[in-house]
């Protein structure tokens, strides 16, 4: 008997490191001392809503379902100041630092938002407002939806972040074929 393994296709985007850097800088400059949980969930809310409205996320991060909600791994590493991201972006230092569970601004420089589309900024602002208006418990509950549940504390799938609708399967097929080539 021959066993055939079927590899499930998944939607995978090329992570937009420059946009993530600019967005973190933007958040920290607008809300000095922003709580790590609030910032990470703001990225999730923004990426998910933009994916559903524009058929692409803003950042294309790899999301992991963690105990207190989704975490965009590359963005979290960048927030912690990991050397890999400093090298990737050609920077000696980031204009923020993670102090405990809060992001603290280290400069008075303004973030460069030129790489963002109008819809990117709209969803980023909306995601940040949504996150900041909630308590830790409310944010955690709001991010434990079907996409988080399906991941079972593993890697979340963009397919699961898409809202159900009559064209979902067509959107998933399109994104499976094209996501890795999209410029975010």
């Amino acid at each position: 008997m021959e066993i055939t393994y079927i590899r499930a296709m998944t939607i995978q985007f090329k992570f937009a490191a420059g946009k993530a850097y600019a967005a973190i800088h933007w958040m920290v400059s607008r809300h000095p001392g922003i709580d790590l949980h609030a910032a990470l969930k703001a990225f999730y809310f923004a990426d998910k809503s933009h994916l559903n409205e524009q058929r692409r996320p803003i950042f294309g991060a790899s999301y992991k379902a963690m105990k207190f909600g989704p975490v965009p791994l590359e963005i979290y590493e960048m927030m912690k100041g990991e050397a890999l991201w400093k090298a990737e972006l050609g920077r000696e230092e980031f204009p923020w630092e993670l102090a405990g569970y809060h992001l603290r601004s280290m400069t008075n420089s303004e973030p460069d938002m030129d790489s963002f589309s109008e819809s990117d900024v709209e969803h980023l602002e909306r995601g940040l407002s949504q996150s900041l208006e909630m308590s830790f418990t409310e944010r955690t509950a709001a991010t434990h939806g079907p996409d988080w549940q399906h991941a079972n504390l593993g890697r979340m799938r963009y397919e699961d972040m898409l809202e159900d609708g009559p064209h979902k399967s067509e959107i998933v097929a399109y994104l499976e074929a094209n996501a890795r080539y999209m410029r975010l």
Side-chain angles (χ1 to χ4, degrees):
M1 171 164 52
E2 185 177 324
I3 298 175
T4 305
Y5 293 94
I6 299 173
R7 186 177 154 262
M9 292 291 293
T10 60
I11 297 169
Q12 189 166 350
F13 296 93
K14 184 178 177 196
F15 176 61
K19 287 172 81 172
Y21 166 83
I24 297 167
H25 188 186
W26 173 81
M27 279 187 194
V28 173
S29 66
R30 289 187 76 187
H31 298 280
I34 187 170
D35 175 82
L36 184 61
H37 190 261
L40 291 169
K41 299 319 169 239
F43 277 95
Y44 168 74
F45 290 140
D47 250 358
K48 184 175 178 176
S49 67
H50 201 273
L51 173 68
N52 279 285
E53 286 186 27
Q54 302 294 324
R55 303 298 179 242
R56 67 169 177 83
I58 300 170
F59 307 101
S62 302
Y63 283 89
K64 179 160 173 49
M66 304 276 295
K67 180 179 179 181
F68 297 110
V71 173
L73 296 175
E74 300 90 344
I75 294 170
Y76 178 50
E77 291 169 350
M78 205 177 285
M79 287 176 172
K80 293 188 302 183
E82 299 236 351
L84 168 80
W85 292 112
K86 288 177 184 174
E88 175 80 16
L89 295 164
R91 301 201 168 268
E92 291 288 322
E93 296 296 328
F94 288 146
W96 67 81
E97 74 172 2
L98 183 59
Y101 296 108
H102 299 274
L103 290 164
R104 192 172 76 173
S105 182
M106 300 302 292
T107 69
N108 290 329
S109 64
E110 287 296 315
D112 180 2
M113 301 295 282
D114 289 344
S115 61
F116 293 92
S117 69
E118 194 174 304
S119 66
D120 290 343
V121 173
E122 176 188 327
H123 286 263
L124 189 55
E125 287 176 343
R126 190 183 323 152
L128 181 58
S129 289
Q130 181 180 358
S131 185
L132 290 173
E133 289 171 3
M134 297 177 174
S135 68
F136 181 93
T137 303
E138 291 167 333
R139 276 192 304 272
T140 299
T143 58
H144 280 77
D147 54 347
W148 180 87
Q149 292 170 16
H150 289 156
N152 196 28
L153 297 179
R155 183 171 175 187
M156 294 174 66
R157 295 169 21 121
Y158 279 100
E159 296 86 330
D160 295 331
M161 291 183 194
L162 288 165
E163 295 169 359
D164 288 331
H167 302 290
K168 182 177 178 176
S169 62
E170 295 164 23
I171 295 165
V172 168
Y174 171 77
L175 290 175
E176 283 176 341
N178 297 293
R180 67 183 53 89
Y181 307 111
M182 290 180 174
R183 184 167 181 245
L184 301 182

